[in-house]
Amino acid sequence: MGKVLSFSAAFLIAAVVVTGILAERPGKRGSAFSRIDAAGAQFRQVFLGARLGRNDRKFYIDPAERPAILDSLFPGYGGEALWQDRGLWNNYFIRDYDTKVTSTAFSDDKNYGGVVVYQSFTGCFDIVRRYGADIIILGASDLAQAVPPDVLARSYPNHKILMCAAPTFTLDTAAASLELIAQLYPPNHKRPEYIFVGVSRTMAYLASPFYTALDWTKQELINRYKQADFLGPYAYLNQAYRFPFTWNVLYPVRRDANHLPLVNRISHPERWSILDLQISPEEYQADPTVFDERRRLNKQESSIFLNAENETECKKMQRLPELLQTVNERALKLARRSVIFTTPTMGDELRQAPSCYITMYNREILNLNGERTLALDREMKDYGLNILDFAFRDSRKRGGRLTFDVAHPNLSGAEKFTAFLTQAIGEHFQP
């Protein structure tokens, strides 16, 4: 009798769970067994939006109902017509799905706000191999939020602009990505006009004890893409099925995708770059120097530069010049021109960086400048930004205080930086 009751209970639980999962199929409302997250978006084949800095405020964006999202994320690709390519999206939505790209389509609140939309890093390979691109943008999460495709499209109308970014995107990942894109590029489409590579000074620190692990996670995504590639447009048949249900729903061990094997912030474990200081806009405007002094005295360290005090001669960084040259050479082999630039940050994350590294980095990235290459390496203020361009409102903080993300600009900062970038491009590549 006991075995019968145990079996019945197990069967009932399984039935309820399966019913909850099936109720989540496209076109259906949510159930008690799911929440708005990346897994649910992939299952429905829709995009996932979130308020900048508020990863707990997510919402689904169905291109069939809100086609503006396609022109925002993929300018120049034909929006609604692109959505009709079901073979493309069947593959796209089984890929990795954790790159947050700033989008102006739903960013009505520009006051320390903005909306980010989740995209797929390797999904960009699916798009470029079918439709090509005029401008390809490569970089890490800071790049994905600093150069929104729809903002860039203001300066390059009628250009197919494709974001190929991923959290913790390394220079080795850039080299591997460019090599793969060159192999996949459709011969019946013209080659890109530009390759943009946004370089993070944290991710370019090859001496970091975490660099190998960070790079491996992205190289693994590229390798998995290649392994499934033999099925071409039917690659989704060779991938794990995406369920809108994970145990993290019932037991939320992680609040969000944890891309960094680093020491994360207590109040924001999903973002390593959050500054452990807050201030109200009124307090900052009254006397900015007070908060600047608090930043100076802040003991918050960056895990990227762990043990950097032992790297005074940068012996582990000797591969950096060659690696930067390789990235640029592969970019120029694929496109007419390359634009390689340091992404804008507040600079706080570089506090433990060895001086030899900063000197080497500044020198080597500027050495890339040439007739077909524009290389930029500037600090926050030189890009025309200030720390309020890295601030966002967190309503969980009393008094509407501002929280700062030292490496990821808000929408205002992204618009300023993209304007600076396009102006610099126009001046460097004058007809």
Side-chain angles (χ1 to χ4, degrees):
M1 187 65 176
K3 292 183 178 181
V4 174
L5 291 175
S6 298
F7 176 81
S8 299
F11 179 82
L12 179 61
I13 292 172
V16 172
V17 170
V18 171
T19 300
I21 292 174
L22 294 178
E24 289 301 308
R25 64 187 185 274
K28 296 296 182 181
R29 297 294 182 183
S31 77
F33 291 94
S34 70
R35 62 180 181 181
I36 298 177
D37 60 9
Q42 289 177 284
F43 184 77
R44 294 174 174 80
Q45 293 199 359
V46 297
F47 290 95
L48 177 67
R51 180 174 169 80
L52 181 69
R54 293 295 309 279
N55 290 312
D56 59 334
R57 293 182 59 181
K58 296 184 174 70
F59 56 95
Y60 292 136
I61 307 172
D62 187 346
E65 300 174 358
R66 307 166 91 174
I69 191 59
L70 294 171
D71 289 322
S72 174
L73 299 179
F74 312 105
Y77 281 92
E80 294 185 61
L82 184 70
W83 188 244
Q84 301 306 312
D85 187 348
R86 300 321 305 163
L88 167 66
W89 300 110
N90 284 339
N91 281 346
Y92 186 95
F93 285 107
I94 52 89
R95 311 290 186 188
D96 56 285
Y97 201 64
D98 54 10
T99 304
K100 288 178 274 191
V101 180
T102 302
S103 168
T104 65
F106 302 99
S107 298
D108 296 330
D109 179 13
K110 296 185 179 182
N111 186 20
Y112 311 117
V115 166
V116 291
V117 180
Y118 285 63
Q119 289 184 229
S120 170
F121 161 49
T122 55
C124 84
F125 302 147
D126 292 316
I127 295 175
V128 75
R129 74 182 305 166
R130 295 164 88 99
Y131 299 104
D134 296 316
I135 300 175
I136 298 176
I137 313 171
L138 299 171
S141 57
D142 49 356
L143 176 279
Q145 290 184 209
V147 187
D150 53 4
V151 176
L152 187 64
R154 299 171 189 170
S155 299
Y156 297 98
N158 304 316
H159 282 63
K160 290 184 289 186
I161 299 174
L162 183 61
M163 177 69 72
C164 293
T168 66
F169 191 97
T170 66
L171 285 171
D172 282 289
T173 304
S177 299
L178 288 167
E179 182 179 40
L180 179 58
I181 292 173
Q183 295 171 0
L184 299 175
Y185 206 88
N188 58 330
H189 284 72
K190 69 175 183 178
R191 291 278 168 158
E193 182 176 349
Y194 290 105
I195 298 291
F196 288 8
V197 181
V199 185
S200 307
R201 286 175 291 187
T202 47
M203 293 299 104
Y205 184 58
L206 309 182
S208 171
F210 300 106
Y211 184 87
T212 300
L214 296 176
D215 181 59
W216 181 86
T217 60
K218 299 303 170 286
Q219 298 287 350
E220 177 66 13
L221 291 177
I222 294 174
N223 289 333
R224 279 165 46 191
Y225 185 93
K226 293 177 180 179
Q227 290 169 0
D229 189 51
F230 73 96
L231 288 178
Y234 302 101
Y236 64 92
L237 296 174
N238 193 36
Q239 296 289 320
Y241 191 74
R242 298 288 185 176
F243 282 98
F245 172 86
T246 66
W247 287 114
N248 198 55
V249 174
L250 297 179
Y251 301 97
V253 177
R254 297 188 308 183
R255 288 170 55 185
D256 206 341
N258 182 4
H259 311 297
L260 295 173
L262 306 174
V263 178
N264 289 320
R265 307 292 171 247
I266 295 175
S267 58
H268 287 270
E270 73 279 3
R271 296 300 284 268
W272 65 275
S273 52
I274 298 298
L275 198 65
D276 287 340
L277 298 173
Q278 291 83 36
I279 191 172
S280 72
E282 294 75 20
E283 290 171 331
Y284 182 80
Q285 297 290 356
D287 189 355
T289 61
V290 173
F291 190 67
D292 289 340
E293 180 65 8
R294 290 177 60 194
R295 287 172 58 204
R296 188 184 70 82
L297 297 175
N298 182 26
K299 301 300 183 183
Q300 186 174 338
E301 298 182 350
S302 171
S303 299
I304 286 289
F305 298 105
L306 186 67
N307 296 327
E309 65 274 9
N310 300 321
E311 195 61 26
T312 56
E313 297 181 4
C314 289
K315 293 182 179 179
K316 296 180 181 178
M317 294 297 303
Q318 298 308 307
R319 193 168 63 92
L320 180 62
E322 178 184 355
L323 184 54
L324 283 168
Q325 288 289 347
T326 298
V327 170
N328 191 43
E329 289 171 1
R330 292 185 181 181
L332 292 178
K333 186 177 180 180
L334 179 63
R336 284 205 310 130
R337 295 165 173 167
S338 64
V339 182
I340 301 181
F341 53 91
T342 300
T343 52
T345 72
M346 289 173 59
D348 297 56
E349 76 286 0
L350 300 172
R351 187 168 301 190
Q352 287 79 39
S355 59
C356 63
Y357 165 59
I358 298 300
T359 300
M360 175 188 289
Y361 175 88
N362 295 345
R363 180 183 67 245
E364 297 303 332
I365 194 168
L366 291 179
N367 279 343
L368 299 176
N369 268 306
E371 183 179 352
R372 296 175 59 202
T373 299
L374 168 62
L376 295 169
D377 176 46
R378 307 284 180 87
E379 298 299 325
M380 174 182 67
K381 291 182 179 179
D382 297 324
Y383 281 139
L385 278 65
N386 57 61
I387 68 167
L388 294 181
D389 293 315
F390 294 84
F392 60 88
R393 291 186 185 275
D394 191 336
S395 62
R396 290 171 295 184
K397 308 292 181 185
R398 295 182 179 179
R401 297 168 75 81
L402 298 177
T403 300
F404 295 85
D405 189 323
V406 299
H408 301 83
N410 56 30
L411 179 57
S412 171
E415 291 183 324
K416 289 180 182 180
F417 176 70
T418 305
F420 177 95
L421 184 64
T422 54
Q423 180 179 346
I425 292 171
E427 293 173 353
H428 186 79
F429 297 113
Q430 291 181 356

